[in-house]
Amino acid sequence: MLIVKKFGGTSVGNTERIFNVAKRCIEDYQKGNQVVVVLSAMGKQTDVLLDMAKEVNPKASKRELDMLLTTGEQTSVALMAMALDSLGVPAVSLNAFQVAMHTTTDYGNARLKRIDTQRIHFELDNRRIVVVTGFQGINKYDDYTTLGRGGSDTTAVALAAALHADACEIYTDVDGVFTADPRIVPSARKLSEITYDEMLELASLGAGVLHNRSVEMAKKHGVQLVVRSSLNTSEGTVVKEESKMEKMLVSGVATDKNVAQFAVEGLENKPGVAFKLFQHLANHQVNVDMIIQSVEHNGTQDICFTVTEDMAEVALETLERHRNTSLRCEKITITRDVAKVSVVGAGMMSNPGVAAKMFEALYDAGINIRQISTSEIRVTVLIDEKYTEDAAQAVHEAFSLEK
Ligand code: ASP
Ligand code: MG
């Protein structure tokens, strides 16, 4: 078997943990498997490097930032190859250049285009464990690029696809994907399986276990993933295409406090109003979510939407700037202490009543809903932030997701 194993920052956070990872890789190697290991930078090294860059030059170019950040992963792969060697197993570390992992030119947020597999196959055929840098690539100018924070997951999935690996294992510091964040809902339990689509909804909701793009890529190439802990041998969660599965209506409850709500009231009711409003925001890189437009009253209408809290200031400034010119609205209100609570489940596509059940649970808990949005497999409500934990618990219980 050809196995791709990816280990995140905490899993290689110190030299002792590097040996721990090395041993896990050797177990597979000694069973006769070909082993490719993808690593993140050690611990919080990427943040440390970013802080240093900021001290030196707050306006550092993205090219130089990538040049700097790629050293983090290069450190871990070299140390891992040394650890493997010291344990008597032949290993070689390779960076994005040596493998040739081609990406788009966008520094800081590049996308993988093509991976050359020749060098890796050559090393594997020579019975070496191949240790590859996650998160990085090279572009057409022969510069280093990075794939966005958390991008090592994507490197692992892309490599698994390119090498036609038999398994792709993502090792992290939690036991797998849970029905809710255990810090918020203590009775949350680990899921044995989840679909790509559910995982995508959960990842974009801030579940944070997997890089969003890695799940997209896994879905596209049919790479089955296992998310599991590097600190124990528990089984983890399999991420795959729709299956028989546990046939649950809802797989998980996600919460997100990084939200601010905007209400723009008294807009004219004519074509182009929504266009202008959201165009202004887009021009300032403000991502908008949960949009609702009211019905007309007294010849005007209101539009509400949410943005991430860190973009709230930019959004507010932008709207205020255009308030009396192209927007012509009566009132702009911003509410920062709100949070999103969502239920996600492929099962809701074919089962009515999921939304009602969620709303009932919130009603029973005395929690008011400020705004609602849905997708095929998700229902999200916006509530007062102080009720986040209560709401998540109530909903989690209503769908019997407990251990
Ligand atoms: N080291 C990078 C980061 O911290 C990539 C990764 O860990 O996946 O974002
Ligand atoms: Mg990660």
Side-chain angles (χ1 to χ4, degrees), residues 43 68 93-94 129 155 158 161 168 176 192 200 256 269 334 342 370 376:
L68 179 69
S93 64
L94 298 174
I129 291 184
T155 308
C168 182
S192 56
L200 275 173
D256 184 3
N269 190 12
I334 168 169
S342 309
R370 307 177 68 112
E376 254 185 333

Side-chain angles (χ1 to χ4, degrees), residues 6 8-9 40-41 43 46-47 69 73 134-135 148-153:
K6 182 261 167 178
S40 294
T46 307
D47 293 321
L69 292 189
E73 271 67 16
F135 179 53
R149 296 306 303 270
S152 298
D153 297 337

Side-chain angles (χ1 to χ4, degrees), residues 296-312:
E296 185 190 275
H297 50 92
N298 309 324
T300 66
Q301 57 171 350
D302 312 327
I303 292 182
C304 287
F305 57 89
T306 60
V307 301
T308 55
E309 215 165 332
D310 40 308
M311 289 308 272

Side-chain angles (χ1 to χ4, degrees), residues 18-247:
I18 286 181
F19 271 105
N20 168 46
V21 168
K23 284 179 191 143
R24 286 194 89 137
C25 298
I26 290 173
E27 276 170 35
D28 283 326
Y29 174 86
Q30 283 175 340
K31 287 182 197 149
N33 300 302
Q34 298 191 313
V35 180
V36 176
V37 187
V38 177
L39 299 182
S40 294
M42 292 171 70
K44 297 251 167 282
Q45 181 63 10
T46 307
D47 293 321
V48 172
L49 291 169
L50 280 171
D51 286 345
M52 274 201 274
K54 215 187 233 165
E55 266 175 44
V56 173
N57 179 357
K59 290 188 187 137
S61 73
K62 287 189 175 166
R63 181 199 180 274
E64 297 307 333
L65 281 173
D66 279 358
M67 190 69 182
L68 179 69
L69 292 189
T70 48
T71 64
E73 271 67 16
Q74 196 156 319
T75 304
S76 14
V77 294
L79 290 172
M80 184 62 68
M82 292 177 202
L84 288 162
D85 178 59
S86 81
L87 295 170
V89 173
V92 59
S93 64
L94 298 174
N95 65 19
F97 237 103
Q98 293 163 316
V99 172
M101 296 207 250
H102 305 273
T103 70
T104 55
T105 51
D106 322 274
Y107 302 102
N109 195 26
R111 282 179 178 259
L112 281 163
K113 291 202 304 198
R114 182 170 53 85
I115 298 180
D116 296 346
T117 53
Q118 214 181 343
R119 175 75 188 266
I120 295 180
H121 277 306
F122 172 81
E123 302 293 353
L124 289 173
D125 290 344
N126 282 295
R127 282 305 285 150
R128 294 194 180 104
I129 291 184
V130 183
V131 193
V132 183
T133 48
F135 179 53
Q136 58 180 253
I138 47 167
N139 67 16
K140 65 178 178 199
Y141 307 116
D142 276 355
D143 280 341
Y144 276 114
T145 53
T146 60
L147 310 180
R149 296 306 303 270
S152 298
D153 297 337
T154 303
T155 308
V157 174
L159 269 173
L163 294 164
H164 304 291
D166 301 289
C168 182
E169 304 166 351
I170 310 285
Y171 287 84
T172 168
D173 50 356
V174 293
D175 286 354
V177 182
F178 280 72
T179 51
D181 183 337
R183 287 166 302 186
I184 291 183
V185 182
S187 63
R189 71 179 167 82
K190 191 183 68 188
L191 291 160
S192 56
E193 297 180 331
I194 189 167
T195 67
Y196 295 123
D197 288 331
E198 288 172 326
M199 195 63 234
L200 275 173
E201 293 278 8
L202 286 171
S204 56
L205 293 169
V209 217
L210 285 175
H211 195 221
N212 230 351
R213 229 186 272 155
S214 72
V215 185
E216 275 169 23
M217 188 171 298
K219 180 178 156 85
K220 187 167 155 208
H221 297 282
V223 176
Q224 187 167 310
L225 304 177
V226 183
V227 182
R228 56 190 298 190
S229 170
S230 64
L231 308 169
N232 61 48
T233 52
S234 98
E235 274 198 357
T237 304
V238 178
V239 188
K240 58 186 202 180
E241 203 46 83
E242 193 79 54
S243 67
K244 311 145 227 57
M245 297 235 183
E246 301 163 18
K247 271 285 166 238

